[in-house]
Amino acid sequence: MECVNETLVTEFVFLGFSSLAGLQPLLFAVFLLVYLFTLGTNAIIVSTIVLDRALRTPMYFFLAVLSCFETCYTFVIVPKMLVDLLAQKKAISFLGCAIQMFSFLFLGCSHSFLLAAMGYDRYVAICDPLRYTVLMGFGVCVGLVAAACAGGFIVAQIITSLVFHLPFHSSNQLHHFFCDISPVLKVASYHTHFSQIVIIMLCALVLVIPLLLILVSYILIISAILQFPSTLGRYKAFSTCASHLIIVIVHYGCASFIYLRLKSYYSSSQDVLISVSYTILTPLFNPMIYSLRNKEFKSALQRVVGRKICLS
């Protein structure tokens, strides 16, 4: 037991972009621009929703929270990655690695549960519109967000504890650009099948159950839409759900590929590529998919900008 509790590794070294040493300054410039654009668009979304009364609906409330989650989890990973792209030694302390993993898992799991809540919101809006304001009151929306955060916190706490109670003696080199589950598990001296099964089951809980709830919601939504007498009504109903469906497919597709696998199927090169997509590219496209192509949101943004110009 003394050997198990002993931890010789005091820091981890990231090797995620080591094979692209000559391109790292270019990657820094590209990722920095993408990150700044993502921060800017999410800030515009949240401020517009807060400032315009017409957007104070459950759908836009969830969208504002989603933007906050994405801003926070990119903040957990991208600034450190940008520094490492220009640094000679790309290292993170043992405690810093644990904090980064917990923060990312907490925000990512909460994001997953929140997408399920947004699916329920679309179901109520289309299938039971007369009771929408009652079923999706402000208290209900806050409760759903709180439940998503609580679920994310519990899952992140359990997984992080399981991973960082393992012994790390032999290697501290992570073939990744942040402290994700698989690369950290790979450098552990050993781990039990029990801990690996628990981690996979928790990842399945976070990914499969919300996805099943979303699928059930959309089966009911589609069956309701097909009964609409108007073609225009069907088009509008489908258009309100299309953005959510695109985000769901991208989020659950990437996350399932990364987390619903055993350690023996781990591939560092594939995981780095997929991780870049959902930590950098997906947060970039989500605001454009959800809001900046939405006529109602663009009208609200014009009103907010117009008021600010008049006041100035």
Side-chain angles (χ1 to χ4, degrees):
M1 291 296 293
E2 291 179 358
C3 180
V4 172
N5 291 329
E6 182 184 7
T7 301
L8 298 181
V9 172
T10 59
E11 66 176 16
F12 293 101
V13 177
F14 296 125
L15 301 177
F17 298 109
S18 57
S19 61
L20 302 172
L23 295 175
Q24 288 185 13
L26 176 61
L27 290 175
F28 171 84
V30 172
F31 291 159
L32 177 61
L33 290 175
V34 170
Y35 180 57
L36 292 176
F37 183 80
T38 302
L39 290 181
T41 52
N42 280 313
I44 290 171
I45 289 170
V46 174
S47 58
T48 302
I49 291 171
V50 170
L51 294 173
D52 194 89
R53 289 183 176 275
L55 298 186
R56 292 179 186 176
T57 64
M59 184 180 79
Y60 287 104
F61 171 76
F62 288 130
L63 179 58
V65 176
L66 186 72
S67 294
C68 291
F69 281 168
E70 291 186 342
T71 301
C72 291
Y73 85 64
T74 54
F75 180 76
V76 168
I77 294 170
V78 177
K80 171 63 177 169
M81 181 195 70
L82 291 173
V83 171
D84 287 342
L85 283 171
L86 299 181
Q88 290 288 346
K89 186 178 181 181
K90 310 173 193 308
I92 188 171
S93 68
F94 188 88
L95 177 60
C97 189
I99 292 172
Q100 187 184 58
M101 180 181 289
F102 171 80
S103 302
F104 176 73
L105 289 175
F106 164 61
L107 293 165
C109 294
S110 301
H111 183 280
S112 184
F113 292 134
L114 182 65
L115 287 176
M118 295 173 78
Y120 174 70
D121 170 67
R122 293 297 84 209
Y123 160 75
V124 176
I126 292 172
C127 297
D128 199 357
L130 296 179
R131 295 200 300 158
Y132 180 66
T133 54
V134 176
L135 294 176
M136 296 302 297
F138 181 72
V140 175
C141 295
V142 172
L144 289 172
V145 172
C149 292
F153 180 88
I154 293 169
V155 172
Q157 180 67 46
I158 294 172
I159 292 178
T160 307
S161 299
L162 285 172
V163 171
F164 285 92
H165 274 83
L166 297 171
F168 295 89
H169 299 134
S170 55
S171 174
N172 69 338
Q173 296 183 336
L174 303 180
H175 291 275
H176 215 289
F177 59 90
F178 72 96
C179 293
D180 208 353
I181 299 170
S182 294
V184 176
L185 282 178
K186 192 174 183 181
V187 300
S189 299
Y190 69 88
H191 55 86
T192 63
H193 288 295
F194 173 76
S195 63
Q196 190 176 3
I197 290 171
V198 171
I199 290 171
I200 291 177
M201 288 179 63
L202 287 171
C203 291
L205 170 71
V206 171
L207 295 172
V208 176
I209 292 180
L211 181 58
L212 288 175
L213 292 174
I214 291 170
L215 289 176
V216 170
S217 296
Y218 274 100
I219 290 171
L220 296 173
I221 287 170
I222 291 170
S223 63
I225 291 175
L226 292 177
Q227 296 177 15
F228 287 8
S230 167
T231 303
L232 180 60
R234 288 196 293 269
Y235 172 78
K236 287 183 176 179
F238 275 122
S239 65
T240 60
C241 301
S243 300
H244 181 248
L245 270 177
I246 293 171
I247 304 302
V248 165
I249 292 169
V250 173
H251 173 80
Y252 288 104
C254 294
S256 298
F257 178 82
I258 295 289
Y259 298 110
L260 299 184
R261 295 175 301 164
L262 297 172
K263 182 184 175 183
S264 56
Y265 294 96
Y266 171 71
S267 170
S268 58
S269 59
Q270 287 182 340
D271 280 17
V272 168
L273 183 61
I274 298 295
S275 297
V276 166
S277 72
Y278 74 75
T279 57
I280 299 174
L281 299 181
T282 302
L284 168 68
F285 293 123
N286 282 1
M288 291 185 284
I289 293 170
Y290 249 122
S291 299
L292 302 183
R293 60 184 287 273
N294 183 308
K295 291 182 180 179
E296 185 180 13
F297 180 85
K298 287 191 286 188
S299 298
L301 179 60
Q302 290 172 356
R303 288 194 297 270
V304 171
V305 172
R307 285 200 296 269
K308 291 298 179 183
I309 291 174
C310 290
L311 289 173
S312 62

